Structures are given as C-alpha cells and as structure tokens.
Amino acid sequence: MENNRGLKHGRIYRHALARVLKIRVLLFLCMAPFALWSQPGFEERLSFDQIQMILSEGIAQRDVGKQALGWYKWAIYREQETLNRDSAFQYLARSVDLFLIAGDTTAYYRARAELATRLPERGMAEEALQMQQEALDYFRKTQNKRLETLVLAQMARVYQLKGDTAQASVLKKAFRDKGLMLQDTFLLITVFLDDISRLQIEQNYRDAISLAFRVLELAQQSRRPDVATFAEYQIGILNRQAGDHYMALRFLKRAERSVSAAYDPLRRDIYRYLSATYSALDSLPKALEYATRHIELGDTLLSRDRIATSQRLAVQYGEKERSRQLAELAKEMAAVELSKRQQRDFFYAILLFFGAIILALFFMVRDYRHRLATNRVITEQNEKINQQTIRQLEDALRIESMQSILEGQESERKRIANDLHDSLGGLLAATKMRLENLSGKLPVLGQNEEFGKIQGLLNDTITETRQIARNLQPGSLHQFGLMKAVRDLIVRFRGDGVPTIDFQHFGEFNGIDHTIALNCYRIVQELLQNSIKHAQATEILVQLTRTENELALLVEDNGIGYDPQTVSRGMGTDNLSQRVQFIHGEISIQTSPGQGASTMITVPLA
Amino acid sequence: MFAEGLESMLKGESDFEVCGRARNAADTLQQVLEMHPDVLLLDINLPDKSGLDVCKQLRAESPDVKILALSMHNDESYISAMLSLGAQGYVLKNTGRVELCAAIRALAEGRTYFSQEVTDTMMQSLMRERKGGTPKEPPKISRREREVLKLIMDERTTQEIAAQLFLSEKTVESHRAALLAKLGARNTAGLVKAAIQWKIIED
C-alpha cells in the first residue's frame, strides 16, 4: 500500500511539474552549470549521524531541499544497512516530493530516476523507463552530461531487469562511452556501488566482488582514498557473505589500515566484521579483540551520537512546540470542521428522513389507490359474474320451464291424439259400419235421404277427427323422421285456395334427436300456417338442409310480408322464437311489407 | 269394438269367412301361422307393436298371406312404408263397406288395392316433391339464396355478404351450404359453374 502511495506521488507530481517547469526552465538553464555539476551531498557516503543532522537541520531551517536530500541519503543508507528496498522506495518517494516543492528540478529528476530504478521489481518497468526518459530529456536539455550518463546507466539496468538485453547493452555502451568521454570516474563509481548493492541483494556475490574490484581500481586512479577504503571494505564483507573468510579477512585488514579518520563509523563496521570473520575462522582471541574495539569505538561514537542527538533534540523541541501549536490549530480546525460536518450530516439525515417519509407516503398512497382500483375492478367483475350467473340461471330456468311446458304440451297432445284416434275414432268407425250393416239389412234406409245425410255427416266427423288427431300428433315423425313428417304435413295442405307449396330437402334426416326434430316440425308447421293464414301467399317454398353439424329450415313465401320491427304476430312468433331458443337455434327473418317473408332457422347438431 | 263391427259387417258377405280375430301383434302372428288366411286386415296402430313391424315379420314367415293395411293415417310416409314392407292394399279405417269388400276381393285375386283418398295422397306427394340436383330440372332457389349466390359470384367474402344483406355470417354460411347441396357443387367455383349452367342468375 505504501508503495502505491509513493508511486501515486510520483504520478501526481509528474503532471504538476509540467506547469512548474515552464516557469523555471530558463532560471535553471542559467544556474545548472554552477549549481548542479557538483550536487553536494549526493555522492558522499554519509554516516547515520550525518544524515540525521541534515534532516534535523532541514526541518529546523525549513529548508525543504535539505530535507529532501536527507531523505534521499537516508533511503540509500537504510537500503544498504537493512537490504530493505521497500522502505528505501518510500523514503525516495518522499524525497522526490520534497525536491519538487523545493523547486530543485535537477535534484528532483535525479531522485525520481533513482526511484524509477526500484520500480521494475514491482512490475512497473514501463513506468520506470518513462520516468527515467523524462529525467534523461531534462538532463539533455540542461546539458547535464554527468546526470545524463547516470540516467543512461540506470535505464540500462531497467532494460536488463525487463529482459530486454539488446536495448540494455545499447544503453550500457552509450553510458560507458559517455562516462569515458566525461572522464568522470566518480560517476562510474557511483553506478558501480549501486550495482554492487543490487547484486548483493540478489546474492550474486561473484559479480558484486568483481565490480567492487573495479571500484577500488577507479578510486585509486582518481585518488579517492575514502572510496578505496570503502571498496576494500565492500570486497571484504562480500567475500564474507560469499563464504570466503580468508579473502574477507585480507580486504577487511586492508580497509582497517587505509581508513583515515579515527572515529569514522566505517571503522566501527570494519571492526565488527573483522570480529565476525575471525570468529568464523576460529581465531577467537582476535575475534574478541576486534569485538572489544568495536564496542569501544561504538561507545565513542555513541557519545558523539549523544551530543548530536541532544543538539538534534533541542532543534526538534522548537519544532515540536511549533508542531504542537500547529496540531492545536489543526485540532480547532478539525473541531470546526467536525461541527460543520455534523451539521451537514444532520442536515443530510433530516433530508434523508423526510425523503424516506415522502417516498414511503408516495408508495402507500400509490398502493392504496392501486388497491382501491383493484377492489373496484374485482367488485365490478364479481358483479358481472353474478349478473352473468343470474342470467345463465334465468336462461336455464326459462329453458327448463319451457322444456317442461313444451314436453307437457306434447304429451298432452299425444294423449288427446291417441284418444281421438283409438277411442273416438274407433267408436265412429264402428258406428259407421253398423249403420252400413243396417242399411244392407233394411234396403228402405238406403233410399231414405235423411239416412244418407246422417252417413255423410258421420263421414265428415271421422275425417275431421282424423285431421285433428294428426295435427296434434305427427305420428310419422317418430316413425319415419323429420323429412317424411314435413312432407306429409305439406301434402295435407291441399285443396282449393291453398297455395302451391314446394318442398326441397338436402341431406340425411334420420338420426336427428327427437326433441330437435319435433320442434323443427312444429316450427315448419307454424311458419306454414302463418304463410297460408296471414300472408295470403300463393307460393311457398319449404326447404330442409342438413349439413354435417347443422340443420337449416327455410320457409319463404310471396305473401304480403310484414314489418318485423313493428308488427308483432302474437302468440305465433312468440311460440316460434321460444322453440328456436329451446333448441339453441338462430332465427333470421327477412321481410318487409309487400315483399313476402323469408324465414330461416339454423339449428346446431351435436 | 272396431274389430267386432268389422266382423259383423263382413259376415254379411257370402263369399267371406272370418277365420280369426286378434287383439295384438303376438296374437296376430300366431293366428296367421295357424289359420293360413287368404287376406289379413292389419291395423297399423296395434297396442303392443307397430303394424309396420308385424307386416315385415309376416312377409318373412308367411309370404302367401295378402295384407290389407287399415289405418287412420292418410299419410304418404305410412302408405309408402307399408307398401315397401309387402302390404298389397291400404285403406283408411273410415272406408265404407262396399269399398272395403272390393279391396278384400281384389287382394284375394292377387291384385293391389288403394282407396281413393290414399291414391290422392300418393299423387300429391309425388307432385310436390322435387328432388334436388336432378339434371333435367333446375332446383328451386329461394330469394335469399339467389341474393347470396349473386354476391358469391361477385367474389364477395362471407363478411361482406353478411354486412350487405344484414345477415349474420352464420346464416350466410348456411345459405351457402344449402346452395352447395342444391346445385351439387363442392366449392365456390362449382357454385358459379352450376349457376351459369342453370341460368339461375340472369342480369
């Protein structure tokens, strides 16, 4: 997480820098040759105290540049001491930020390039290269050949880490050429030392040692005994880490001899490692001796540290006081901010509360209205269903009652017809026969006019009785089916003044339900009577059509017609429509005054 | 009562012998098979069984007996039915003595006999009935059917015809079905063809 923060800073300032640079570029262009060629402090190896001092002073003097340098050195120092590159990364990121605030663009880019070298191991090689490229561009623009070369070296390393060895070697060559050209051995040494610490972390001691030799060589050439000593010390501890204690001992001894200042912290480190090496070689007296020296020197250094620390504390106290005031101020501001925020939160809470209430009300009202509407719809539907049920019940009741009426009617008719046929008919026939017998025995009677009239009246009575009986009960319907019964019916209408009746039938009429057949018969009978009695027709067409699932009756006349809208034909049509309804048929009447009448009845057959 | 009257009436005739009198269908069958009469006077309305069925059964079991149907029904359907079932004569119950005796004698001599009223009924029936689709005579088309047919020939749809004639679509369909049956057509094309053939629509 902290890594990300460091990187984020890098990114943010990279953008901010674009603005800052535009203003300051000219200034630095003039200053660069003097101020930045020798980058004070960057190349020296500073002790812990020295770095602490720089930081303390930087804070006390509010010298951001010094603070930045302090953090930079602290990062490098910590990294070499602890081999922990993570914390180094964070300190470098802080240093970069501070350099930017200080307006030290060259230092900013240098520190940033340094930071970039630690990005590839975090999987951000591209970002690293971009940052370094920016630094490179800047150094080229400011003609800072040294730092340009340094960045080239760093880029070469990043390419190497990225696995792009071709580009790495190209850059390495460029760097070496430039370095040689610059004759700046220190630059090379810096780069090599950096490489060594990296190789040390990677536990590649062989390459690290050879590089350290290279540094030693360069230090001797450039007459930097302090660097030479450090190189010897490095060779020593690298060999120790590689397990070659004899070589370690040899070079640590050389370092001990060449180290200059009596109280150099390096000397203490040398003593410490000499002790450790002797111990590893089982030379315990020597080990003890150096351990003692290490402790003694440590104490001395510690006392020195104490002085420095007390000084630092004094400085830090003032700093602390100020920071306390600042903290108090910040606290007050925070309190104000808090109360403001509380007010705001309260306001929001109220707003939210009322919003929720309004919303709840809205939904309640909507739900209520919806429920009302639903209830209304349900009530309406129920009412409709009820009405429909009532209607259906009424219909069923009416049909049922009509059925019983019609059935009762029919059975009554049948009874009367049978009585007329059998009892009355029989009696009349018997009477007639007896009369005839009598006239045969008494020829006088045969010549009597009155007796002849009585016989004629009796004959008329018999015919009339038969006619009434037949009209009451169409015997042929049950026996021979609808078509023959209708034909018999039509044949019966004959005589003077009776219209011509045409009868046509299509289809099979046997097997039709008796109730339907009987009602159809009655319907035709009714229609025929209407046409003959009321319509004064001279031509009538009766037509029966049976299709697969339908029976159609048609009675058409050329009579006077009527207006079906206004003329009620009394019992006749009423009875007719009831019969049609009873057998679930449909009636269609087409007539108008003077145009005859055409009545069609269709009956569905199950 | 009727049978008794009849018996007394026939006894007056010297050449007749009344050999039996049955009250129902079963009795009739049994007596006919025992007595072998020349002529059977059969009432169509028997109490237990239709005279039609008795006639049919006798024809199968005793083909020699002549059957004279006596009926109250002067209807073509009954007359035709009795004839087709093997009756040789058909007279109404109110027929006079002279005619009845003539009928019995005709049957005994192997002829058929129908009373005047019965003959009239048969004639009427044959005259009134027209059989649909006979090739020589065009069927009679009703006024309404003519209107529907005209519109069908004008390529109107059922809905259009129903709307124009103020009929329900169902009624139009019924007319159409009747027309198809009458003209012996199977579809609209057949209808149009028959209409032209019979010159039903002449505009």
Side-chain angles (χ1 to χ4, degrees):
Chain A
M1 215 160 80
E2 282 179 308
N3 297 350
N4 287 345
R5 200 172 59 197
L7 184 75
K8 205 161 79 186
H9 283 207
R11 275 186 187 155
I12 290 166
Y13 290 125
R14 201 161 63 209
H15 295 302
L17 187 75
R19 281 205 307 276
V20 178
L21 272 184
K22 269 177 195 159
I23 308 160
R24 297 192 176 171
V25 160
L26 268 175
L27 185 71
F28 280 108
L29 271 178
C30 311
M31 287 171 70
F34 313 102
L36 298 167
W37 266 99
S38 64
Q39 293 260 305
F42 264 107
E43 271 129 46
E44 295 158 48
R45 185 180 185 276
L46 298 180
S47 69
F48 175 86
D49 294 325
Q50 286 168 318
I51 295 166
Q52 283 290 310
M53 193 69 84
I54 289 171
L55 274 172
S56 304
E57 281 171 12
I59 292 164
Q61 296 160 10
R62 298 173 155 237
D63 185 340
V64 185
K66 210 165 192 174
Q67 287 175 34
L69 181 66
W71 289 119
Y72 181 90
K73 296 307 287 184
W74 178 240
I76 305 297
Y77 180 88
R78 286 282 297 174
E79 192 174 57
Q80 283 174 353
E81 281 291 304
T82 63
L83 303 183
N84 181 352
R85 283 169 82 83
D86 269 353
S87 61
F89 183 83
Q90 288 155 36
Y91 294 128
L92 273 177
R94 192 182 297 176
S95 158
V96 169
D97 294 351
L98 289 172
F99 275 128
L100 182 73
I101 294 165
D104 188 345
T105 315
T106 307
Y108 165 78
Y109 273 121
R110 181 169 185 171
R112 212 156 157 262
E114 190 67 41
L115 182 73
T117 61
R118 282 151 182 86
L119 282 175
E121 64 210 57
R122 291 171 170 79
M124 291 182 286
E126 294 306 324
E127 286 87 342
L129 283 170
Q130 199 186 332
M131 282 164 79
Q132 287 173 336
Q133 189 63 48
E134 281 167 16
L136 189 68
D137 291 346
Y138 178 74
F139 294 138
R140 274 182 181 153
K141 201 156 65 182
T142 53
Q143 307 239 317
N144 193 332
K145 292 254 172 8
R146 256 189 105 223
L147 289 182
E148 187 191 332
T149 313
L150 186 71
V151 172
L152 277 175
Q154 287 169 340
M155 282 179 87
R157 207 180 304 154
V158 172
Y159 273 115
Q160 188 75 52
L161 284 171
K162 218 181 103 186
D164 190 346
T165 38
Q167 188 65 27
S169 64
V170 167
L171 284 172
K172 257 182 194 160
K173 194 172 178 303
F175 145 71
R176 206 162 290 135
D177 292 350
K178 278 220 159 54
L180 289 174
M181 204 169 72
L182 280 173
Q183 295 277 308
D184 192 336
T185 44
F186 190 78
L187 187 67
L188 282 174
I189 289 165
T190 311
V191 171
F192 286 157
L193 284 177
D194 199 34
D195 278 347
I196 287 166
S197 63
R198 184 174 54 81
L199 290 165
Q200 195 177 0
I201 289 158
E202 289 168 10
Q203 302 194 331
N204 186 350
Y205 301 117
R206 211 166 55 97
D207 290 351
I209 290 164
S210 75
L211 264 181
F213 274 114
R214 192 85 205 280
V215 171
L216 181 60
E217 194 185 330
L218 285 169
Q220 283 161 351
Q221 280 172 9
S222 59
R223 292 156 205 252
R224 288 286 296 265
D226 58 331
V227 177
T229 307
F230 186 69
E232 285 163 355
Y233 164 76
Q234 276 289 344
I235 293 165
I237 58 170
L238 283 169
N239 271 307
R240 195 182 85 82
Q241 279 167 336
D244 191 344
H245 296 290
Y246 288 105
M247 276 296 276
L249 192 62
R250 218 175 99 197
F251 278 92
L252 283 172
K253 278 280 191 192
R254 270 177 69 174
E256 187 197 359
R257 276 195 298 275
S258 63
V259 70
S260 56
Y263 299 113
D264 194 311
L266 186 62
R267 181 182 289 275
R268 192 188 57 171
D269 289 345
I270 291 166
Y271 286 158
R272 191 177 120 202
Y273 286 114
L274 271 171
S275 168
T277 310
Y278 274 124
S279 158
L281 290 169
D282 287 334
S283 301
L284 290 179
K286 281 278 182 193
L288 186 63
E289 183 194 331
Y290 278 107
T292 316
R293 281 197 203 177
H294 168 68
I295 291 161
E296 279 174 2
L297 193 59
D299 283 348
T300 319
L301 284 171
L302 207 64
S303 64
R304 272 187 43 164
D305 282 350
R306 270 199 221 102
I307 297 160
T309 310
S310 63
Q311 283 172 345
R312 200 164 63 236
L313 279 172
V315 171
Q316 278 175 345
Y317 178 75
E319 184 66 20
K320 233 182 200 161
E321 189 61 26
R322 220 176 9 259
S323 64
R324 196 180 58 78
Q325 284 169 358
L326 274 172
E328 265 173 25
L329 208 68
K331 225 187 237 168
E332 271 172 44
M333 277 172 72
V336 170
E337 184 66 27
L338 188 72
S339 77
K340 265 191 194 165
R341 192 185 299 156
Q342 277 172 346
Q343 277 178 1
R344 206 172 51 217
D345 286 355
F346 182 68
F347 177 69
Y348 283 146
I350 293 271
L351 209 67
L352 207 69
F353 178 69
F354 279 111
I357 282 183
I358 287 166
L359 210 68
L361 274 174
F362 171 73
F363 279 116
M364 272 165 68
V365 167
R366 203 180 65 165
D367 183 55
Y368 180 67
R369 286 172 67 176
H370 180 70
R371 226 175 330 172
L372 270 184
T374 315
N375 278 346
R376 204 175 53 232
V377 168
I378 288 170
T379 312
E380 278 172 8
Q381 274 180 348
N382 279 345
E383 222 160 273
K384 249 185 224 165
I385 290 166
N386 283 344
Q387 282 177 354
Q388 208 176 335
T389 315
I390 288 167
R391 253 203 315 278
Q392 280 174 350
L393 282 171
E394 281 176 351
D395 281 352
L397 208 67
R398 205 166 56 225
I399 287 174
E400 213 173 291
S401 62
M402 195 159 45
Q403 187 171 9
S404 53
I405 286 167
L406 290 174
E407 276 171 0
Q409 217 173 41
E410 286 298 334
S411 71
E412 194 65 9
R413 281 177 176 181
K414 195 173 175 183
R415 196 181 60 76
I416 295 167
N418 286 340
D419 284 352
L420 285 175
H421 258 296
D422 300 340
S423 310
L424 192 60
L427 281 170
L428 286 169
T431 309
K432 188 183 172 181
M433 270 181 280
R434 300 235 172 210
L435 274 178
E436 284 188 2
N437 282 342
L438 193 62
S439 73
K441 285 170 186 165
L442 299 169
V444 185
L445 277 179
Q447 288 150 17
N448 189 305
E449 198 183 333
E450 195 58 30
F451 186 79
K453 276 185 182 171
I454 291 169
Q455 276 193 310
L457 272 174
L458 187 57
N459 272 337
D460 288 351
T461 308
I462 291 169
T463 311
E464 194 61 29
T465 306
R466 192 173 61 226
Q467 205 72 29
I468 291 166
R470 205 160 43 177
N471 282 341
L472 283 172
Q473 170 69 16
S476 55
L477 180 70
H478 186 63
Q479 204 92 44
F480 306 109
L482 179 63
M483 190 275 282
K484 290 204 173 178
V486 170
R487 191 168 63 189
D488 288 344
L489 177 70
I490 289 163
V491 170
R492 253 175 264 146
F493 288 107
R494 61 184 176 207
D496 293 336
V498 173
T500 314
I501 305 173
D502 275 301
F503 176 53
Q504 296 189 128
H505 55 91
F506 306 94
E508 176 58 53
F509 295 90
N510 283 327
I512 293 173
D513 174 70
H514 184 67
T515 311
I516 290 176
L518 180 64
N519 280 288
C520 286
Y521 178 85
R522 293 284 183 215
I523 288 164
V524 173
Q525 197 175 24
E526 188 84 45
L527 286 170
L528 268 174
Q529 271 162 10
N530 283 342
S531 290
I532 294 164
K533 284 185 189 164
H534 306 296
Q536 303 159 28
T538 56
E539 276 178 36
I540 302 172
L541 172 68
V542 177
Q543 184 176 299
L544 303 181
T545 313
R546 161 88 196 264
T547 54
E548 198 181 336
N549 49 13
E550 193 184 74
L551 180 63
L553 318 172
L554 177 79
V555 177
E556 198 172 272
D557 67 45
N558 64 346
I560 55 171
Y562 61 96
D563 184 351
Q565 298 283 312
T566 56
V567 176
S568 166
R569 298 177 80 177
M571 280 299 285
T573 43
D574 240 26
N575 202 13
L576 192 72
S577 58
Q578 272 185 10
R579 282 190 190 279
V580 172
Q581 197 183 353
F582 175 57
I583 54 175
H584 306 292
E586 270 181 28
I587 186 163
S588 162
I589 302 169
Q590 196 185 43
T591 182
S592 56
Q595 295 294 308
S598 176
T599 307
M600 171 129 151
I601 284 124
T602 52
V603 183
L605 299 175
Chain B
M1 180 118 35
F2 177 71
E4 278 169 28
L6 206 61
E7 190 180 345
S8 70
M9 190 171 87
L10 293 178
K11 269 178 181 165
E13 301 297 317
S14 57
D15 51 343
F16 290 173
E17 184 198 343
V18 180
C19 65
R21 199 173 75 211
R23 293 205 167 273
N24 54 42
D27 201 10
T28 307
L29 283 165
Q30 197 188 341
Q31 287 198 34
V32 167
L33 292 173
E34 281 172 17
M35 312 281 185
H36 297 288
D38 295 312
V39 177
L40 170 70
L41 271 66
L42 178 63
D43 190 342
I44 286 180
N45 292 336
L46 295 178
D48 55 344
K49 212 171 180 182
S50 169
L52 296 164
D53 294 332
V54 176
C55 184
K56 193 177 176 184
Q57 211 167 337
L58 279 174
R59 267 292 144 265
E61 293 177 22
S62 180
D64 294 337
V65 68
K66 307 286 190 290
I67 298 170
L68 177 65
L70 277 173
S71 173
M72 284 287 284
H73 301 288
N74 184 15
D75 283 325
E76 186 272 335
S77 53
Y78 279 99
I79 302 160
S80 307
M82 284 307 283
L83 292 183
S84 66
L85 290 172
Q88 279 81 6
Y90 193 107
V91 294
L92 296 175
K93 277 187 178 173
N94 64 340
T95 302
R97 187 173 64 91
V98 181
E99 200 181 352
L100 188 62
C101 292
I104 292 168
R105 287 193 186 95
L107 259 67
E109 289 163 18
R111 291 183 280 122
T112 57
Y113 188 90
F114 302 98
S115 62
Q116 190 56 47
E117 286 165 292
V118 172
T119 313
D120 283 355
T121 301
M122 290 301 284
M123 290 302 292
Q124 279 284 329
S125 174
L126 290 171
M127 273 168 60
R128 297 285 172 96
E129 192 183 354
R130 290 170 185 268
K131 290 214 169 73
T134 49
K136 288 184 182 169
E137 200 184 347
K140 190 171 170 72
I141 307 285
S142 80
R143 284 199 304 278
R144 200 112 60 104
E145 284 166 357
R146 198 178 297 275
E147 286 171 348
V148 172
L149 183 58
K150 209 183 266 183
L151 290 169
I152 287 173
M153 290 177 78
D154 286 350
E155 295 179 49
R156 302 292 176 85
T157 64
T158 303
Q159 289 108 307
E160 288 169 345
I161 296 168
Q164 190 159 342
L165 299 181
F166 302 103
L167 299 172
S168 78
E169 285 182 29
K170 215 176 154 218
T171 308
V172 174
E173 280 301 323
S174 296
H175 281 306
R176 213 178 101 88
L179 280 167
L180 286 170
K182 269 184 196 182
L183 299 173
R186 289 175 57 207
N187 50 34
T188 307
L191 272 186
V192 174
K193 189 180 147 198
I196 292 163
Q197 189 187 330
W198 297 114
K199 295 182 179 155
I200 291 164
I201 311 291
E202 288 173 284
D203 276 342

